[in-house]
């Protein structure tokens, strides 16, 4: 049996134990951290990522793999492993000057975190609810979008709460994470490692700081801890305490820290909106007062006053529109801020690489367009895709005319270029009308 199949079998065994004993606390799990387990974690870890504070790449680490992994196992189990600081860098957040920080752990840290996630994930996957889609194996954004579309289409009119958690990944309480972990896992080796990652410093401008809250920046284990946190803060609370007290049907969809709550009854929605800030505050989190809002999501004929009828979720604006047959249906289009952000990145690329060969520019732009289509290419969003493709073409033309002191390229010449180097046409990759 291959190593991957062996690891898969062991993972299934952990999941089976968790499923059959939902209240069970796992006391001994670190025996899974052996050479075979760590080799699989190494295989699953990206080798060409940015380097951490030690300056070592994945390929360099693999040159003496078995010795490095055995040393890592020994340090992890004896408690001598020290979680290195995370190197912090900033990347653009949108179309403006605003940026957001990301963390870059060392490659060895990524491998060990991956190994621990491989142990814990089968346990918590049995606890998590089906309406949680973010950072879970076999689940993704398009499944969440499909689920929310089907739920909003039922009944022709809902009340929707858009959730916006302020700086969630920076404000997660370490004490609460430890408490939640202890409810399911009491293995000293794993808990000690997670505590070290929570307390690992952040290196920025040659200065190390030690945040007292937040999940490990850029860490493989961060998404799992985030899901565990919001499972307790929101999912479990909504499912077991809120829904039984409501007058009518309500559902929730969550993708990481992005979520919406959908209600059949306005009174139910307003009652939940009133208690949500108190619930989050109990766990050290706050909701953005302006971005967390309640709206009547219904066809225009059913809405009254100036109540907004659209909401954004996972990069799409969800709105009611009429089909070709004149029926009211829920439609989705690329959210305005996401379209602007994507075009800004295209502009930056064209500006920076305008002197490169047409072959390279065409190859890179085609890849970027296909990447855009692979996410935003859903049923009914073809018009937005066409707008994006057209704007990319205009941006490319603009920066090709600024390649130097030579005569500017006229539009006719650019059309000839596009004939030779055509940009990929807009394609709804995930359209339900396409054959599987």
């Amino acid at each position: 049996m291959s190593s991957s199949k062996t690891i898969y079998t062991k993972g299934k065994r952990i999941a089976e134990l968790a499923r059959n004993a939902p209240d069970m606390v796992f006391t001994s799990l670190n025996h899974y951290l052996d050479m075979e387990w760590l080799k699989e974690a190494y295989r699953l870890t990206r080798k060409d990522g940015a380097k951490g504070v030690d300056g070592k790449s994945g390929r360099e680490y693999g040159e003496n793999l078995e010795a490095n992994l055995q040393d890592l196992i020994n340090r992890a189990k004896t408690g001598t492993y020290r979680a290195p600081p995370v190197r912090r860098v900033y990347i653009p957040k949108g179309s403006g000057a605003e940026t957001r920080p990301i963390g870059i752990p060392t490659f060895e840290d990524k491998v060990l975190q991956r190994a621990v996630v491989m142990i814990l994930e089968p346990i918590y996957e049995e606890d998590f609810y089906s309406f949680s889609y973010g950072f879970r194996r076999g689940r993704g954004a398009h499944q969440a979008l499909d689920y929310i579309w089907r739920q909003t289409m039922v009944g022709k009119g809902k009340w929707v709460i858009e959730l916006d958690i302020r700086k969630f990944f920076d404000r997660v309480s370490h004490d609460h994470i430890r408490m939640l972990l202890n409810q399911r896992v009491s293995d000293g080796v794993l808990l000690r490692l997670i505590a070290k990652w929570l307390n690992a410093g952040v290196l920025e401008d040659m200065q190390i700081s030690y945040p007292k809250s937040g999940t490990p920046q850029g860490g493989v284990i961060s998404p799992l801890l985030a899901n565990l946190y919001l499972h307790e803060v929101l999912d479990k609370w909504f499912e077991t305490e809120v829904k039984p007290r409501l007058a009518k049907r309500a559902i929730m969809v969550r993708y990481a820290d992005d979520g919406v709550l959908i209600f059949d009854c306005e009174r139910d929605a307003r009652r939940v909106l009133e208690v949500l800030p108190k619930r989050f505050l109990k766990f050290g989190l706050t909701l953005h007062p302006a971005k967390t809002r309640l709206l009547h999501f219904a066809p225009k004929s059913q809405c009254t006053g100036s109540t907004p009828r659209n909401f954004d979720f996972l990069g799409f604006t969800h709105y009611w529109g009429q089909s070709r047959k004149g029926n009211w249906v829920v439609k989705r289009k690329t959210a305005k801020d996401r379209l602007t952000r994507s075009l800004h990145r295209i502009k930056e690329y064209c500006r920076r690489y305008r002197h490169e060969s047409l072959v390279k520019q065409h190859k890179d732009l085609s890849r970027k367009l296909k990447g855009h289509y692979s996410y935003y290419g859903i049923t009914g969003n073809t018009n937005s895709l066409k707008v994006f493709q057209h704007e990319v073409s205009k941006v490319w033309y603009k920066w090709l005319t600024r390649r130097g002191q030579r005569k500017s390229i006229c539009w006719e010449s650019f059309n000839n270029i596009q004939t030779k180097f055509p940009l990929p046409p807009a394609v709804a990759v995930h359209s339900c009308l396409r054959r599987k």
Side-chain angles (χ1 to χ4, degrees), residues 105-159:
T106 63
F107 180 80
E108 183 176 68
D109 213 32
K110 293 177 184 177
V111 171
L112 187 55
Q113 287 191 31
R114 173 71 65 187
V116 171
V117 168
M118 287 162 54
I119 296 173
L120 298 181
E121 193 175 56
I123 298 173
Y124 291 111
E125 277 298 312
E126 298 301 322
D127 296 343
F128 294 158
Y129 290 102
S130 61
F131 52 76
S132 168
Y133 289 89
F135 305 118
R136 296 179 63 186
R137 188 173 300 179
R139 292 169 170 268
H142 291 103
Q143 290 172 304
L145 290 165
D146 180 66
Y147 178 72
I148 203 170
W149 180 82
R150 287 185 281 109
Q151 296 300 325
T152 50
M153 280 289 290
V154 176
K156 301 290 184 181
K158 306 289 180 183
W159 291 85

Side-chain angles (χ1 to χ4, degrees), residues 208-266:
I208 298 181
S209 60
Y210 296 91
K212 295 183 179 180
S213 62
T215 57
Q217 280 199 352
V220 179
I221 201 166
S222 182
L224 178 63
L225 296 180
N227 269 333
L228 173 61
Y229 205 81
L230 285 175
H231 170 76
E232 184 70 24
V233 175
L234 183 60
D235 301 359
K236 186 177 178 181
W237 171 75
F238 183 76
E239 193 70 14
T240 62
E241 297 185 37
V242 174
K243 286 177 66 174
R245 292 179 170 85
L246 300 180
K248 294 185 178 181
R249 179 175 171 271
I251 64 107
M252 182 174 72
V253 185
R254 183 174 66 80
Y255 189 95
D257 61 331
D258 194 4
V260 293
L261 286 70
I262 304 171
F263 303 83
D264 284 349
C265 173
E266 178 183 1

Side-chain angles (χ1 to χ4, degrees), residues 163 176 179-180 228-242 272-287:
L163 287 179
H176 280 119
M179 177 194 71
L180 296 175
L228 173 61
Y229 205 81
L230 285 175
H231 170 76
E232 184 70 24
V233 175
L234 183 60
D235 301 359
K236 186 177 178 181
W237 171 75
F238 183 76
E239 193 70 14
T240 62
E241 297 185 37
V242 174
V272 173
L273 181 63
E274 184 178 349
V275 298
L276 272 173
K278 301 173 186 176
R279 175 65 182 178
F280 278 85
L281 190 60
K282 182 179 178 180
F283 288 85
L285 301 173
T286 57
L287 296 176

Side-chain angles (χ1 to χ4, degrees), residues 8-133:
Y8 176 75
T9 301
K10 290 179 179 179
K12 284 188 66 177
R13 175 56 180 161
I14 297 173
E16 184 181 356
L17 289 171
R19 182 168 56 253
N20 294 335
D23 297 324
M24 174 183 174
V25 178
F26 288 79
T27 59
S28 180
L29 291 167
N30 70 83
H31 60 276
Y32 288 104
L33 294 176
D34 56 17
M35 180 61 69
E36 185 178 44
W37 198 272
L38 267 293
K39 279 187 175 180
E40 181 66 8
Y42 170 82
R43 186 185 71 82
L44 295 172
T45 303
R46 181 179 170 182
K47 312 299 187 297
D48 59 350
K51 299 177 182 179
V53 295
D54 63 353
K56 184 176 289 187
S57 69
R59 290 187 175 85
E60 291 172 331
Y61 191 84
E63 291 174 358
N64 194 17
L65 183 61
E66 290 211 6
N68 286 334
L69 292 182
Q70 188 58 60
D71 178 59
L72 179 59
I73 293 169
N74 294 339
R75 285 181 286 132
K77 292 192 174 184
T78 60
T80 57
Y81 179 80
R82 297 183 62 183
V86 173
R87 183 166 68 89
R88 175 179 285 172
V89 297
Y90 290 86
I91 62 173
K93 187 174 182 180
S95 57
E98 191 177 359
T99 61
R100 66 182 179 91
I102 62 169
I104 303 175
T106 63
F107 180 80
E108 183 176 68
D109 213 32
K110 293 177 184 177
V111 171
L112 187 55
Q113 287 191 31
R114 173 71 65 187
V116 171
V117 168
M118 287 162 54
I119 296 173
L120 298 181
E121 193 175 56
I123 298 173
Y124 291 111
E125 277 298 312
E126 298 301 322
D127 296 343
F128 294 158
Y129 290 102
S130 61
F131 52 76
S132 168
Y133 289 89

Side-chain angles (χ1 to χ4, degrees), residues 30 74-81 83 178 181 186-199:
N30 70 83
N74 294 339
R75 285 181 286 132
K77 292 192 174 184
T78 60
T80 57
Y81 179 80
R178 296 188 187 98
L181 284 167
S186 65
D187 184 288
V189 172
L190 299 190
L191 294 180
R192 184 169 59 236
L193 286 172
I194 293 173
K196 289 182 178 182
W197 287 320
L198 290 174
N199 295 321

